[in-house]
């Protein structure tokens, strides 16, 4: 029964492919993000990992770097592609025929914020949001903590994909 409904997220022959977007800042992408993208790729025909550009926030990595890193770490997932977008997420969804937004939930505090955005996005456009429970192994991992720890020379090797670790190590002169 559950498996049937999961399969239903994929299109039937002749239908439009079912596309989902995994949006985020990805500054940088963590193992927790990657887990969600991999699981979404098993449910949908196509996954778009979209780096949302926030003009008010200067990140550690440029948008181009984030896209490059994401493309590298998802290269082995044939139904995943990476894009970037400046503007409302719902406009991206409309323009790219995206049926749903998928995001990971680590905690109750994530839930409050994510639920508000999910409701707002549905109000604005009718697009649905799927909040996926995070792998508990990564429940404590966030991009901002990874940056802070790397900044002070701490070990972030097990928190991020190796491509990200190498880039952080280069930026903060971390031992490899
Ligand atoms: O990784 P983050 O920073 O938690 O991701 C938040 C993000 C980028 C998904 C969210 O801020 C977003 O959707 N920004 C795009 C602008 C937008 O649509 N704002 C209205 C949200 S209801």
């Amino acid at each position: 029964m559950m498996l049937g409904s999961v399969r239903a997220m994929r299109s039937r022959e002749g239908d439009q492919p079912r596309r989902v977007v995994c949006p985020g800042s990805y500054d940088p992408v963590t193992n927790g993000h990657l887990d969600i993208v991999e699981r979404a790729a098993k449910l949908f025909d196509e996954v778009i990992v979209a780096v949302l550009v926030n003009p008010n926030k200067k990140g550690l990595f440029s948008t181009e770097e984030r896209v490059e890193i994401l493309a590298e770490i998802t290269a082995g997932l044939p139904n995943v592609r990476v894009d970037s977008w400046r503007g409302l997420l719902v406009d991206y969804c409309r323009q790219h025929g995206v049926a749903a937004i998928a995001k990971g939930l680590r905690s109750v505090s994530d839930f409050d914020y994510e639920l508000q955005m999910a409701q707002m996005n549905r109000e604005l456009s009718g697009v649905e949001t799927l909040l996926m429970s995070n792998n508990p192994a990564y429940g404590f991992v966030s991009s901002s903590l990874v940056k802070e720890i790397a900044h002070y020379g701490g070990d972030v090797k097990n928190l991020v994909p190796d491509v990200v670790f190498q880039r952080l190590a280069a930026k903060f002169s971390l031992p490899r």
Side-chain angles (χ1 to χ4, degrees), residues 23-26 33 52 87-90 103 113-114 117 120-121:
S25 306
Y26 298 111
H33 291 129
L52 270 295
L88 287 179
L89 179 57
V90 290
K103 300 202 78 185
Y113 176 54
E114 294 299 345
M117 284 200 291
M120 181 60 85
N121 284 329

Side-chain angles (χ1 to χ4, degrees), residues 83-147:
D83 204 354
S84 63
W85 181 252
R86 185 183 287 263
L88 287 179
L89 179 57
V90 290
D91 287 337
Y92 183 90
C93 294
R94 271 197 208 106
Q95 287 184 28
H96 294 81
V98 170
I101 298 164
K103 300 202 78 185
L105 268 188
R106 284 166 305 190
S107 62
V108 175
S109 55
D110 273 358
F111 180 75
D112 282 345
Y113 176 54
E114 294 299 345
L115 180 65
Q116 185 187 18
M117 284 200 291
Q119 289 172 331
M120 181 60 85
N121 284 329
R122 189 155 182 271
E123 173 71 21
L124 289 173
S125 67
V127 72
E128 296 286 0
T129 297
L130 304 174
L131 298 178
M132 298 172 65
S133 61
N134 216 276
N135 181 336
Y138 309 125
F140 55 90
V141 180
S142 71
S143 301
S144 42
L145 277 183
V146 163
K147 281 183 283 193

Side-chain angles (χ1 to χ4, degrees), residues 1-3 8 17 23-24 37 39 43-44 48 76 82 86 93 106-108 129 132 137 149 152-153 164 168 170:
M1 165 99 160
M2 219 171 98
L3 203 61
V37 171
R39 285 159 55 200
L43 298 176
F44 284 84
I48 305 171
V82 183
R86 185 183 287 263
C93 294
R106 284 166 305 190
S107 62
V108 175
T129 297
M132 298 172 65
I149 294 162
Y152 290 112
V164 176
L168 288 169

Side-chain angles (χ1 to χ4, degrees), residues 3-176:
L3 203 61
S5 52
V6 166
R7 281 200 191 115
M9 287 187 195
R10 288 201 181 255
S11 58
R12 307 219 170 119
E13 228 178 289
D15 286 355
Q16 288 287 337
R18 294 263 168 88
R19 246 174 234 140
V20 70
V21 64
C22 292
S25 306
Y26 298 111
D27 186 38
V29 57
T30 67
N31 286 341
H33 291 129
L34 183 57
D35 175 63
I36 295 293
V37 171
E38 285 171 346
R39 285 159 55 200
K42 289 184 189 149
L43 298 176
F44 284 84
D45 297 314
E46 286 179 30
V47 176
I48 305 171
V49 184
V51 177
L52 270 295
V53 180
N54 182 345
N56 302 319
K57 228 165 139 184
K58 192 188 165 331
L60 176 64
F61 292 98
S62 69
T63 305
E64 292 70 29
E65 282 177 300
R66 296 178 214 181
V67 168
E68 207 176 282
I69 293 169
L70 281 161
E72 208 172 318
I73 65 172
T74 58
L77 300 168
N79 61 337
V80 175
R81 63 188 167 89
V82 183
D83 204 354
S84 63
W85 181 252
R86 185 183 287 263
L88 287 179
L89 179 57
V90 290
D91 287 337
Y92 183 90
C93 294
R94 271 197 208 106
Q95 287 184 28
H96 294 81
V98 170
I101 298 164
K103 300 202 78 185
L105 268 188
R106 284 166 305 190
S107 62
V108 175
S109 55
D110 273 358
F111 180 75
D112 282 345
Y113 176 54
E114 294 299 345
L115 180 65
Q116 185 187 18
M117 284 200 291
Q119 289 172 331
M120 181 60 85
N121 284 329
R122 189 155 182 271
E123 173 71 21
L124 289 173
S125 67
V127 72
E128 296 286 0
T129 297
L130 304 174
L131 298 178
M132 298 172 65
S133 61
N134 216 276
N135 181 336
Y138 309 125
F140 55 90
V141 180
S142 71
S143 301
S144 42
L145 277 183
V146 163
K147 281 183 283 193
E148 186 174 322
I149 294 162
H151 175 81
Y152 290 112
D155 185 5
V156 292
K157 207 181 232 135
N158 296 328
L159 310 179
V160 292
D162 191 55
V163 180
V164 176
F165 174 71
Q166 295 304 333
R167 299 243 187 172
L168 288 169
K171 274 194 195 285
F172 296 112
S173 309
L174 302 175
R176 295 180 205 218

